[in-house]
Amino acid sequence: QGSQKRSNSTPETPRPKRTLSSSRSPYALFSPNSFSPSVTPSQKYASRSSRGEVVVSFGSVQGPSWSGRGGAGCTPKLFGPPEENLTKSYKFMFQKALDVREVLSWRIEELGDALKSHHRLEEFASVLLPAQEAVTVLGKIGCDSNGKLNAKSVVLEGDQEHSSGGQIPLDLSELKEYSLFPGQIVALEGTNSTGRMMVVSKLYEV
């Protein structure tokens, strides 16, 4: 009886694929049972025998001792002005929108005074009024879109005292260099000939 000839596999005459048996299946070869056939199931946490046992420790503590009078004669004191301390229950991050607006407005005014004294600026003008000559305005940098801040999306939100919180787009093409981020408080010098866009010529930062 002659032996069967092996069929050569070439691109023209590919060898037919044979179905793998369950014993030679790759899923069976790399199953958890093939790697760990003799593993015993773990015990339940409630039936552990090493409850309360120190498994490992680092360093040594010799004779710790505590002493005190049980809090007798101890009186807590508030540090700082009373108006800045919490004396009753307070919900964190539940501030009212009006309170947040007041704090931000106060912050713009405070930094505006610092900018005015440091750079020796004149009185601030409104961002909403047209100005043919260069004026100095105060406000907070914002973005007019949901994307990242870029040179075409920069707006200035004016302060409450001079601009009543009005916004105006900024043209930064005349600035040689600048670095801005949303929420940054700045003073700008520029022209606003139409009342709809301010062409910035100088930037004063904190």
Side-chain angles (χ1 to χ4, degrees):
Q1 296 179 357
S3 60
Q4 295 180 354
K5 295 182 179 180
R6 291 186 177 181
S7 60
N8 294 328
S9 176
T10 62
E12 289 77 13
T13 59
R15 182 182 300 173
K17 296 181 180 180
R18 294 180 298 175
T19 58
L20 295 174
S21 60
S22 60
S23 61
R24 299 188 61 183
S25 172
Y27 298 103
L29 293 176
F30 298 101
S31 63
N33 293 332
S34 63
F35 284 105
S36 55
S38 61
V39 173
T40 57
S42 59
Q43 299 179 354
K44 293 184 178 181
Y45 180 74
S47 62
R48 67 191 186 280
S49 59
S50 60
R51 182 182 302 177
E53 180 182 351
V54 178
V55 178
V56 66
S57 61
F58 180 78
S60 60
V61 180
Q62 299 179 355
S65 61
W66 300 89
S67 61
R69 295 178 294 177
C74 180
T75 304
K77 293 182 179 180
L78 296 176
F79 290 91
E83 61 272 8
E84 296 182 3
N85 294 314
L86 300 178
T87 56
K88 58 182 180 180
S89 299
Y90 182 77
K91 293 183 178 181
F92 179 65
M93 295 186 68
F94 276 81
Q95 298 94 336
K96 297 180 180 179
L98 183 60
D99 296 338
V100 175
R101 178 173 173 268
E102 290 295 331
V103 171
L104 293 178
S105 299
W106 170 80
R107 186 64 174 169
I108 293 176
E109 293 177 4
E110 183 185 34
L111 294 178
D113 293 337
L115 287 169
K116 184 185 295 184
S117 61
H118 180 72
H119 298 283
R120 298 179 181 179
L121 304 176
E122 298 180 356
E123 192 66 25
F124 295 119
S126 173
V127 300
L128 302 177
L129 297 178
Q132 303 298 332
E133 298 180 355
V135 293
T136 306
V137 296
L138 173 67
K140 180 176 63 174
I141 296 295
C143 182
D144 65 351
S145 63
N146 294 328
K148 294 183 179 181
L149 187 67
N150 55 69
K152 301 298 182 181
S153 64
V154 182
V155 297
L156 182 71
E157 180 182 345
D159 61 336
Q160 290 292 329
E161 181 180 357
H162 304 92
S163 305
S164 301
Q167 292 186 355
I168 188 171
L170 299 180
D171 183 358
L172 306 175
S173 58
E174 293 189 3
L175 292 179
K176 295 182 179 180
E177 58 181 6
Y178 57 88
S179 178
L180 302 174
F181 60 88
Q184 182 180 3
I185 299 174
V186 296
L188 304 175
E189 182 178 323
T191 57
N192 183 14
S193 58
T194 62
R196 297 181 180 179
M197 177 173 288
M198 173 165 284
V199 181
V200 182
S201 56
K202 290 184 180 180
L203 172 65
Y204 302 99
E205 303 177 79
V206 178

